[in-house]
Amino acid sequence: MKVKNKTFLLARTLIKNGEGLGIKGSSTFAKVSVILVFAIMIPMFMAGIAYLVTSLLGVLVQIGQEGIILSWGIAINSAIVFLFGIFYVVSTFYFSSDVEFLLPMPLKPRQILGAKFLVVTIYEYFTTAISFLPVWITYGIYMGCGLLYYIYGLVVFLLMPITPLAAASLIIMVIMRFTNLSKHKDAVKVLGGMVGVFFGVGLNLVIQNVMGSMSQEQIMELVQKGNNSLMILTSGVFPTARWGAEALINYSQLSGLFSFLLYAGFSLLIYFALLWLGQLIYLPGVVGLSETGSRRTKVNKQALEKTTVKGSVVRTYTLVELRLLFRTPIYFINCVSINFLWPVFLVFPLLFQSQQLNQIQQISEMLNRPESQGMVLAGSFALALFMGATNGTTSTSISREGQELFVKKYLPISYRQQLTAKVLSGFVLGLVSILIMVLFAVFIFKLSFWMGLLILAAAWLPVLLTCLTGLLIDLHNPKLDWDSEQKAVKQNVNLLYNMLAAVIPGVLTFVVLAFSPNLLVTFIALTALYGLLCYIMARLLYTKGVKRFIQLEI
Amino acid sequence: MIELMNVTKTYGSTIKAVDNLSLVIPDGEIFGFLGPNGAGKTTTIKLIAGILNADSGSIRVNGKDLREHALEVKKQIGFVPDTPNMFLRLKGIEYLNFMADMYDVSTEDRQERIQSLAARFGMADVLQDRIQSYSHGMRQKIILIGVLVHNPSVWILDEPMTGLDPRSSFLLKEMMREHADSGNTVFFSTHVLDVAEKVCDRVAIINKGQLLFCGSMEEMKDHFKKNASLENMFLELTESESEE
Ligand SMILES: Nc1ncnc2c1ncn2[C@@H]1O[C@H](COP(=O)(O)OP(=O)(O)OP(=O)(O)O)[C@@H](O)[C@H]1O
Ligand SMILES: [Mg+2]
């Protein structure tokens, strides 16, 4: 009997409708190069993990703690799934345009939810395949495991995303359920998403903290016990992670089978529990998500006159770009919030670690040593470059226009001005992240005030550079043919290209760093280097870029 | 004044959307551009507005070549696209202000025009709301106001009446007449004969990218009677009218 399960049918359609790597419709060259990059980077990464696992196993086997490799492997992967999951769930469950088509169909909420959950699970496999498969297989080969180990492993792999994803879904669904009541949907959606992300990061840190709070003696005691006793350490995060690991380690014994059944049963139970809960709270959270509050109030003359004062073309254009970035939830999360989040992501873990004060003090001492001043400046350039390159504001700025690009072609302002405004909008946002970085450095790591000022005065150059390269790349290969905003920024390879482009100045910065010259030499070398690169890119933008903009048609 | 000379536009390398089209629309005229779906109306309009680049031929607006003086030409054109869904996350007033800045309108002029146009189109109450919250017709109106706020001499409208309520539609027609009568040019596309009949001084009929006819309404009707192939076209156009 062939059962046509609506949930699976729907999931299949949703995946077909998705964009995969997001390289559909781009030029052959773009496709080939993306595939090449992945074909080289992914195996390299996996080989790296396999190497690490092999060398760790060599040590761990001697003290009878080899099992920790698997339990950490599963725990870390679960954490990764959870973190990515928060983003995936927000965009797939709530911000995806297909929701509006699905709602009028004769589908139960749990069918929609189930299908979307499966879609996200499948997305997650791409990540976990890279990070879990090498651990699993290397362990199996190293320990000479039998067939059953691989069968268990496959099931563990397939079910692994369920528990952390369910946790992520639950957090997001609850937030969305209670924020959907508000009038200002867009703002609340963004807030909901952000709270979810922070909640996730916070939870992770707390768990880390709990585990880190075990004293050295306690840990030593566990180590001496042998027999994989250290695995208890990982049990706190997701209970299923531990059962999965135990199933794999004891695969040849009955206790292994028992753990395996516990793992599989519990995972499935969680899946169905989530569906049941979703039936109650998913729909009220999505329905009317696209509504916008409206006031219908007469504009009083003064207010109107205040908002309609003539401004310069570039300024107005930049402001509109920024407004759209701030007001479109998916753009806000991907392009704007990341500017605030990076510095926080980088510094927060330090703050929360058990020997926090110690580490901060160490870093602070290091930063303020007179001989490391040059290094600090170079480091700030590298960090600014990293934050700039990971920000998609300019590397998606043409793509974000989508089918509306035609408007920009009939406006009577030069393409040069338009490109300038687009660079500016990214640059303004990038400056915020530098400012936050400097504030952290000065107030938490006690960097000297003057050094902070110097960084502010110079480290905007790498940000400008990434804005220029991002726009050039997006002009060259924009993704205009999208139907939901998230496709313009997520799954946009131009962001990846821009990060790759940043490798070159990144390497040059490290070359400067390697010579560890004094502050003055570093300052001159780096400003000259980045100044020159910015100049070249700006020239390219205003010649080749403008030409390309003229050619672009939709 | 709009002049098209032997303009051709091909999409990809196969579909000839506009095929060697020549047209002259003098000042003081409302010019209707007719044709069935897929005839090439929107493509022609996009070519004039500078959104698409023609493969060959030249376009002049008020005597200036579009290619050589792109910005000056664009400044004189007011363009209303066929789909009004743009800048949805901006408030109506923000959109109007954006357009006014792009077209270099002084503070006094824009404030006066926004107020009077918003009142005329019944949009005064919604200017502070996001365009997202507007209905289809309201979106069309905000775009119309955005065009009128910079007071262009040449109006180019792609199916401007579809979706407007009778009152607004009447108002627009009236404004088109006023605009043409004061020596300016109005060029608009439609596939509704009825509309063309009521407001146009002259019309052109295009199909598969080629110009089939260009002249006044009376001339067109005479023409239809004599020419069998055009009669089909006429039928097609009147059919679409009866469906509206
Ligand atoms: N972006 C595009 N890519 C490829 N072909 C296109 C594109 N836009 C239009 N076409 C083709 O060009 C031809 C003319 O289309 P156009 O949009 O100009 O027609 P139209 O007269 O405006 O029709 P309608 O009355 O439906 O608006 C059609 O055959 C259409 O398929
Ligand atoms: Mg059309």
Side-chain angles (χ1 to χ4, degrees):
Chain A
M1 194 184 73
K2 204 171 158 197
V3 186
K4 286 222 165 172
N5 184 317
K6 269 195 187 165
T7 308
F8 284 111
L9 279 178
L10 185 57
R12 218 177 60 196
T13 319
L14 290 180
I15 286 176
K16 274 195 197 147
N17 194 32
E19 294 273 303
L21 282 175
I23 53 177
K24 225 188 259 173
S26 34
S27 68
T28 334
F29 172 76
K31 274 182 204 161
V32 170
S33 53
V34 172
I35 292 170
L36 219 68
V37 166
F38 282 117
I40 295 170
M41 275 176 20
I42 292 175
M44 257 170 60
F45 189 72
M46 290 170 87
I49 296 180
Y51 176 76
L52 188 74
V53 169
T54 315
S55 45
L56 278 175
L57 275 174
V59 181
L60 290 170
V61 165
Q62 288 174 7
I63 54 170
Q65 297 288 1
E66 68 280 355
I68 202 170
I69 287 289
L70 284 175
S71 62
W72 269 107
I74 297 176
I76 289 172
N77 271 292
S78 301
I80 294 174
V81 167
F82 179 75
L83 273 186
F84 278 104
I86 294 238
F87 285 102
Y88 282 147
V89 166
V90 175
S91 54
T92 318
F93 285 21
Y94 291 92
F95 297 162
S96 166
S97 64
D98 53 35
V99 173
E100 300 239 314
F101 293 105
L102 295 177
L103 288 182
M105 290 189 186
L107 293 164
K108 296 198 184 83
R110 65 179 151 78
Q111 284 170 328
I112 300 180
L113 188 69
K116 284 181 171 287
F117 191 85
L118 285 182
V119 170
V120 178
T121 308
I122 287 166
Y123 284 158
E124 297 276 12
Y125 287 147
F126 289 109
T127 348
T128 51
I130 296 170
S131 49
F132 180 68
L133 291 189
V135 177
W136 168 43
I137 292 175
T138 312
Y139 180 92
I141 295 174
Y142 194 94
M143 304 298 293
C145 296
L147 181 65
L148 199 57
Y149 168 84
Y150 294 99
I151 296 175
Y152 280 4
L154 192 65
V155 177
V156 167
F157 169 71
L158 290 177
L159 296 181
M160 193 156 54
I162 290 181
T163 313
L165 255 189
S169 310
L170 185 67
I171 292 171
I172 298 295
M173 282 200 307
V174 169
I175 290 170
M176 286 302 180
R177 169 66 187 87
F178 293 105
T179 51
N180 200 13
L181 301 168
S182 153
K183 275 264 164 62
H184 299 279
K185 294 262 159 45
D186 275 356
V188 172
K189 272 197 287 191
V190 166
L191 245 142
M194 302 272 285
V195 170
V197 171
F198 272 112
F199 196 84
V201 175
L203 192 74
N204 232 28
L205 292 172
V206 169
I207 288 163
Q208 255 184 32
N209 227 17
V210 169
M211 294 194 319
S213 68
M214 219 178 240
S215 73
Q216 297 253 291
E217 292 88 65
Q218 279 171 307
I219 293 179
M220 280 321 286
E221 217 171 284
L222 279 174
V223 171
Q224 267 146 26
K225 266 201 213 153
N227 202 14
N228 293 325
S229 49
L230 269 181
M231 273 173 55
I232 300 174
L233 282 182
T234 45
S235 65
V237 196
F238 299 106
T240 48
R242 184 167 161 213
W243 294 325
E246 280 173 357
L248 288 178
I249 293 160
N250 308 322
Y251 72 94
S252 54
Q253 296 155 22
L254 201 63
S255 69
L257 178 68
F258 185 67
S259 303
F260 177 74
L261 290 177
L262 211 58
Y263 173 84
F266 201 77
S267 295
L268 291 178
L269 193 74
I270 283 181
Y271 172 70
F272 286 109
L274 183 78
L275 289 194
W276 174 80
L277 206 80
Q279 179 85 11
L280 299 178
I281 60 172
Y282 176 58
L283 268 199
V286 238
V287 172
L289 207 60
S290 65
E291 281 169 29
T292 320
S294 60
R295 280 181 277 175
R296 302 284 140 113
T297 44
K298 198 148 211 110
V299 198
N300 72 43
K301 219 170 151 190
Q302 278 169 329
L304 188 120
E305 277 168 7
K306 235 168 131 188
T307 47
T308 49
V309 176
K310 186 169 177 350
S312 91
V313 168
V314 173
R315 182 174 160 271
T316 307
Y317 196 114
T318 310
L319 277 178
V320 164
E321 288 279 315
L322 287 172
R323 279 203 183 111
L324 295 178
L325 281 165
F326 273 86
R327 289 181 188 172
T328 313
I330 206 81
Y331 298 166
F332 183 87
I333 289 176
N334 283 281
C335 301
V336 181
S337 73
I338 211 128
N339 288 295
F340 305 92
L341 287 180
W342 266 128
V344 177
F345 273 143
L346 292 177
V347 176
F348 255 45
L350 289 177
L351 290 180
F352 276 82
Q353 235 136 48
S354 37
Q355 306 110 339
Q356 37 171 306
L357 290 173
N358 216 337
Q359 270 192 10
I360 289 177
Q361 225 161 35
Q362 279 171 2
I363 295 176
S364 154
E365 270 165 30
M366 209 178 72
L367 289 182
N368 284 314
R369 248 179 266 148
E371 67 269 21
S372 58
Q373 278 181 341
M375 222 174 71
V376 169
L377 186 68
S380 74
F381 267 66
L383 212 59
L385 184 72
F386 172 74
M387 292 191 291
T390 46
N391 184 310
T393 307
T394 62
S395 56
T396 61
S397 74
I398 303 291
S399 302
R400 286 197 313 266
E401 299 276 349
Q403 299 296 311
E404 273 180 45
L405 183 68
F406 75 90
V407 178
K408 303 297 158 66
K409 308 215 82 174
Y410 72 72
L411 291 179
I413 59 168
S414 68
Y415 294 117
R416 195 190 161 100
Q417 281 177 312
Q418 301 201 39
L419 294 180
T420 306
K422 282 183 180 296
V423 169
L424 271 180
S425 61
F427 183 59
V428 167
L429 289 177
L431 284 185
V432 173
S433 56
I434 296 199
L435 189 66
I436 296 179
M437 177 176 90
V438 169
L439 286 180
F440 269 129
V442 170
F443 287 105
I444 295 178
F445 298 115
K446 304 279 179 280
L447 188 72
S448 78
F449 177 72
W450 295 111
M451 195 63 200
L453 264 190
L454 184 68
I455 292 175
L456 271 186
W460 54 269
L461 275 165
V463 172
L464 180 61
L465 181 66
T466 56
C467 288
L468 290 166
T469 52
L471 187 53
L472 270 168
I473 289 167
D474 199 36
L475 267 171
H476 208 261
N477 178 34
K479 186 174 175 181
L480 297 169
D481 195 13
W482 45 261
D483 52 2
S484 78
E485 286 147 347
Q486 61 156 332
K487 286 187 188 156
V489 287
K490 297 218 136 192
Q491 309 164 341
N492 192 334
V493 283
N494 293 338
L495 178 60
L496 185 74
Y497 283 141
N498 200 27
M499 291 196 236
L500 285 178
V503 169
I504 299 164
V507 168
L508 291 176
T509 309
F510 274 102
V511 170
V512 173
L513 193 72
F515 283 103
S516 58
N518 64 33
L519 185 61
L520 187 67
V521 178
T522 315
F523 180 79
I524 293 171
L526 286 178
T527 44
L529 170 69
Y530 279 92
L532 182 70
L533 286 174
C534 283
Y535 175 74
I536 294 171
M537 289 303 146
R539 278 298 294 268
L540 268 178
L541 186 70
Y542 287 147
T543 52
K544 291 250 160 35
V546 166
K547 261 202 199 118
R548 178 72 193 143
F549 203 168
I550 294 172
Q551 283 166 2
L552 275 183
E553 286 181 357
I554 40 153
Chain B
M1 180 150 96
I2 307 170
E3 299 159 276
L4 283 85
M5 277 157 283
N6 308 101
V7 175
T8 297
K9 173 70 191 176
T10 319
Y11 285 115
S13 51
T14 44
I15 309 169
K16 254 194 184 168
V18 175
D19 192 358
N20 201 21
L21 184 72
S22 297
L23 274 179
V24 177
I25 299 128
D27 288 339
E29 196 168 83
I30 301 182
F31 192 89
F33 202 41
L34 290 156
N37 293 135
K41 303 183 294 290
T42 300
T43 308
T44 309
I45 283 178
K46 282 183 170 170
L47 287 167
I48 304 173
I51 294 165
L52 297 173
N53 306 310
D55 302 338
S56 62
S58 69
I59 297 170
R60 292 162 150 274
V61 175
N62 290 342
K64 289 223 162 72
D65 188 273
L66 175 61
R67 232 174 259 251
E68 283 159 36
H69 308 275
L71 294 188
E72 281 170 66
V73 168
K74 286 178 184 176
K75 239 181 198 158
Q76 302 182 18
I77 293 178
F79 169 61
V80 176
D82 52 352
T83 47
N85 304 321
M86 44 200 227
F87 293 103
L88 296 185
R89 310 239 175 217
L90 291 188
K91 293 173 184 167
I93 189 74
E94 288 170 345
Y95 171 71
L96 297 181
N97 203 43
F98 171 72
M99 291 306 270
D101 275 337
M102 294 301 115
Y103 287 85
D104 200 18
V105 183
S106 73
T107 303
E108 301 81 55
D109 282 353
R110 79 177 66 180
Q111 287 178 350
E112 189 225 298
R113 284 179 203 155
I114 288 175
Q115 276 172 17
S116 74
L117 287 166
R120 273 179 94 174
F121 279 105
M123 295 284 284
D125 291 353
V126 295
L127 286 185
Q128 292 293 348
D129 294 335
R130 299 247 184 116
I131 297 178
Q132 213 168 17
S133 72
Y134 291 6
S135 74
H136 184 86
M138 288 157 80
R139 290 176 189 183
Q140 269 176 306
K141 288 190 212 168
I142 199 79
I143 289 174
L144 260 172
I145 298 175
V147 163
L148 299 178
V149 90
H150 62 90
N151 198 22
S153 76
V154 175
W155 291 6
I156 299 179
L157 319 161
D158 199 355
E159 301 189 26
M161 315 298 180
T162 19
L164 287 185
D165 58 28
R167 209 181 73 87
S168 307
S169 172
F170 177 77
L171 182 62
L172 178 60
K173 286 179 212 162
E174 213 178 48
M175 290 170 91
M176 282 161 70
R177 189 72 266 164
E178 262 171 45
H179 194 64
D181 286 350
S182 49
N184 298 300
T185 314
V186 177
F187 180 95
F188 79 100
S189 80
T190 176
H191 43 244
V192 186
L193 256 185
D194 186 42
V195 173
E197 204 165 354
K198 282 197 187 117
V199 290
C200 293
D201 300 313
R202 280 197 316 145
V203 294
I205 298 177
I206 178 179
N207 194 24
K208 303 206 171 103
Q210 286 173 332
L211 191 68
L212 298 184
F213 170 84
C214 182
S216 71
M217 277 319 273
E218 282 71 44
E219 285 170 338
M220 185 173 91
K221 280 176 184 157
D222 284 349
H223 218 83
F224 278 147
K225 282 169 201 149
K226 289 178 217 144
N227 190 321
S229 73
L230 270 180
E231 199 175 325
N232 284 335
M233 176 93 344
F234 182 76
L235 278 177
E236 242 175 85
L237 290 170
T238 41
E239 266 164 25
S240 69
E241 173 195 16
S242 58
E243 274 164 13
E244 288 285 316

